[in-house]
Amino acid sequence: MNSFSLDNIDHGILYALQRDARNTTTAEIADEVEVSASTVRNRIEKLEEVGIIEGYYPKINYELSNFPLHVLFVCNANPLEREQLAAAAIEVQGVIDVREMLTSTRNLYIEVVATDTRNLTTITNELAAMELEVLSSEIITSHRVRPWAEFEFQTPDFPSD
């Protein structure tokens, strides 16, 4: 476990980055969290260094990118092999996200994009060859995210004179 402690400023920075990391400047974040832009830059560097910020990823509309099939496979993997199977699954062409779950069944969620049903069948067969039991496959029609509200910057209350 990480012993790094986040304060209100860190929370505000994380909230702003989750909201729109690409189009938000450090100066804009600084205004929100009431510190200088250089402090924001230093804090972001530290959050990256300790692993709290793991990366920045674009949100892609796969359908508009000529990958009309966006599917979530809910799988069952042997719990003792789940981590290795997840690592192998992410290497399959077309797999874009793998989530390991703590549960004993339905413990691997694999997100896939494909050009057509033939392409999807190939991906499905590769996953099945790994001894993953596909419990369901769901077509994803949309995906929405939002910043976690606990990271929203709280303006400090100062006593009035």
Side-chain angles (χ1 to χ4, degrees):
M1 234 17 214
N2 192 342
S3 62
F4 189 80
S5 181
L6 298 174
D7 64 15
N8 188 36
I9 293 168
D10 295 320
H11 286 181
I13 291 168
L14 292 171
Y15 188 84
L17 291 173
Q18 287 178 98
R19 193 177 56 234
D20 189 0
R22 179 155 167 73
N23 297 307
T24 306
T25 67
T26 54
E28 291 169 332
I29 297 171
D31 286 344
E32 285 184 42
V33 299
E34 303 173 354
V35 297
S36 70
S38 63
T39 297
V40 170
R41 277 191 297 281
N42 292 338
R43 294 283 187 113
I44 290 172
E45 286 177 15
K46 184 65 175 177
L47 293 167
E48 290 170 343
E49 181 183 301
V50 299
I52 291 172
I53 297 175
E54 297 180 331
Y56 303 88
Y57 307 96
K59 184 175 184 233
I60 297 171
N61 182 320
Y62 292 103
E63 188 172 356
L64 291 177
S65 303
N66 296 318
F67 293 92
L69 295 175
H70 191 183
V71 179
L72 178 67
F73 290 107
V74 178
C75 301
N76 183 37
N78 179 329
L80 300 175
E81 299 172 2
R82 181 180 58 227
E83 187 174 344
Q84 296 82 358
L85 290 168
I90 197 68
E91 297 302 321
V92 172
Q93 185 70 30
V95 173
I96 59 168
D97 188 81
V98 177
R99 296 173 188 230
E100 295 179 56
M101 311 312 261
L102 194 55
T103 59
S104 58
T105 59
R106 304 176 65 86
N107 59 7
L108 215 53
Y109 287 44
I110 302 173
E111 191 175 340
V112 170
V113 292
T115 54
D116 54 31
T117 54
R118 181 173 297 195
N119 183 221
L120 185 60
T121 299
T122 300
I123 296 166
T124 304
N125 290 342
E126 284 188 55
L127 295 174
M130 293 179 196
E131 298 187 19
L132 287 171
E133 179 186 9
V134 177
L135 302 173
S136 71
S137 57
E138 314 294 335
I139 294 175
I140 299 171
T141 58
S142 69
H143 175 226
R144 294 172 183 81
V145 296
R146 61 172 276 192
W148 190 42
E150 290 297 315
F151 285 153
E152 192 164 9
F153 180 75
Q154 303 297 314
T155 304
D157 292 326
F158 294 107
S160 56
D161 293 331

